[in-house]
Amino acid sequence: TRARPTRARPPEFTDEDRAPFFDDAQGALVGERPDYSQRAKNEPEVTPDVAALQNTLLWSDLVDADTLETEIKRQSTRLNEATRSAPFFKASGHETASDTLGLVALLFAVTAEHDDDPRWHEEAAGLRELFATSVDDADDTTDESFAIAQSRAADLADLIRGGRPVTPQPKAATDWGELAYLTTLMQRMETAEEEKLPDWLADARQFRRHTEDIRHEAQVLALLAEAMVRPGTPDADDEDFVAFAHELRQSATKLATAAESEDHPAAERAMKPLQQSCVRCHEDYRG
């Protein structure tokens, strides 16, 4: 036979213990019982603040720290090529140098605001100012323009090797209107969307060989799509343009995810609306 379990004695409550409790709580309440369903009908409908929702977007949702660092390094190579000699720079390199400096400034602006502590995060705001202030100076065919562009190319190469160039005092906040030049952004986007991605997505074999490259280009596209409609940019108040930019951003993000998971059919599905958003935008804004 089993022994009976030992149980605790039931508590004993005094009148003082029972004092805070009502014998009949319903009878103790005063006034009419509120009609909560009627209250809900009378309350004003709360409209979501679209701008506030957009501001909750984190840069890490679009581009990771490694992609930022890699893209900056690739633009350093491009800037070195554009400034390899004075004759080449004056013939055509000055245009490439100016665009590259603008893109590098934008990348450092994102680096400064990035929430995942990418490389050069602490000095990124100063680097943003250093390269942004050289964009217009480099876009000429003079010896002075060549010297400025070559100096920025040396600064960027030194930074990548571990140095720390002298930078100006940065502004308190990023001025996206001064950074997001549409021509510069569009050229980089066309390189990804027209020259690189179609070949890498042409078949399953090419896709498997270039999944990391596809992911990189897709994240850069998402970054650029977001940057071009940041508050302060010329088209930030154009609802149609913003809609096209957000379509591109979403498609690029899906493409990056598909590449990361090595899902070729999903990548193809993401690429189609990505291209369509670009085509429709160009039809409306290029005539």
Side-chain angles (χ1 to χ4, degrees):
T1 59
R2 293 183 180 179
R4 290 184 178 183
T6 303
R7 301 185 183 278
R9 293 174 60 83
E12 295 181 0
F13 298 104
T14 66
D15 292 339
E16 185 179 357
D17 295 328
R18 296 188 179 91
F21 300 94
F22 295 102
D23 294 329
D24 181 8
Q26 188 70 34
L29 295 174
V30 178
E32 297 182 3
R33 185 171 183 173
D35 184 352
Y36 291 104
S37 62
Q38 186 65 30
R39 178 184 174 186
K41 292 179 182 177
N42 294 333
E43 285 183 346
E45 183 178 353
V46 179
T47 302
D49 185 346
V50 176
L53 291 175
Q54 290 177 342
N55 289 337
T56 62
L57 180 73
L58 300 175
W59 281 114
S60 61
D61 295 331
L62 306 177
V63 58
D64 61 33
D66 290 340
T67 298
L68 272 176
E69 180 182 344
T70 300
E71 182 65 16
I72 290 171
K73 289 178 178 179
R74 291 178 180 177
Q75 293 306 317
S76 175
T77 301
R78 188 167 181 249
L79 188 57
N80 285 332
E81 175 64 18
T83 58
R84 68 177 187 262
S85 69
F88 179 80
F89 177 85
K90 293 177 181 181
S92 61
H94 62 284
E95 297 177 352
T96 301
S98 180
D99 285 337
T100 305
L101 287 170
L103 183 56
V104 168
L106 180 71
L107 292 169
F108 279 124
V110 175
T111 301
E113 294 187 0
H114 204 277
D115 49 291
D116 197 23
D117 195 25
R119 187 180 180 188
W120 309 305
H121 182 260
E122 293 183 1
E123 58 265 48
L127 292 166
R128 175 195 69 203
E129 301 299 326
L130 176 66
F131 291 95
T133 54
S134 302
V135 173
D136 293 333
D137 294 333
D139 191 16
D140 206 343
T141 58
T142 64
D143 291 337
E144 182 180 1
S145 295
F146 173 62
I148 291 172
Q150 199 172 47
S151 179
R152 295 293 82 78
D155 286 336
L156 189 54
D158 180 53
L159 179 74
I160 291 171
R161 289 193 298 267
R164 188 162 185 173
V166 178
T167 60
Q169 183 67 28
K171 298 176 183 177
T174 301
D175 187 344
W176 293 100
E178 292 185 356
L179 291 173
Y181 295 105
L182 272 184
T183 53
T184 298
L185 271 58
M186 289 293 183
Q187 287 182 358
R188 178 63 183 91
M189 292 167 74
E190 288 177 2
T191 298
E193 189 256 328
E194 296 180 7
E195 298 177 17
K196 295 183 177 181
L197 290 173
D199 290 340
W200 296 338
L201 291 169
D203 55 56
R205 181 181 179 186
Q206 288 295 322
F207 175 77
R208 288 193 299 270
R209 292 179 60 187
H210 295 283
T211 52
E212 284 299 320
D213 294 321
I214 294 168
R215 179 175 176 273
H216 176 94
E217 293 299 308
Q219 288 195 357
V220 170
L221 281 173
L223 179 158
L224 298 177
E226 171 63 20
M228 66 171 57
V229 292
R230 280 265 153 166
T233 56
D235 298 297
D237 296 327
D238 187 327
E239 293 182 2
D240 293 334
F241 188 86
V242 170
F244 284 130
H246 286 175
E247 286 178 15
L248 173 59
R249 187 189 71 194
Q250 292 169 3
S251 299
T253 302
K254 290 179 181 178
L255 178 58
T257 301
E260 187 171 3
S261 59
E262 300 184 357
D263 188 339
H264 185 223
E268 289 182 312
R269 289 194 298 271
M271 187 64 184
K272 186 174 181 179
L274 187 155
Q275 292 174 316
Q276 289 175 342
S277 63
C278 291
V279 170
R280 292 199 310 271
C281 183
H282 291 171
E283 288 175 349
D284 287 356
Y285 289 89
R286 288 184 178 180

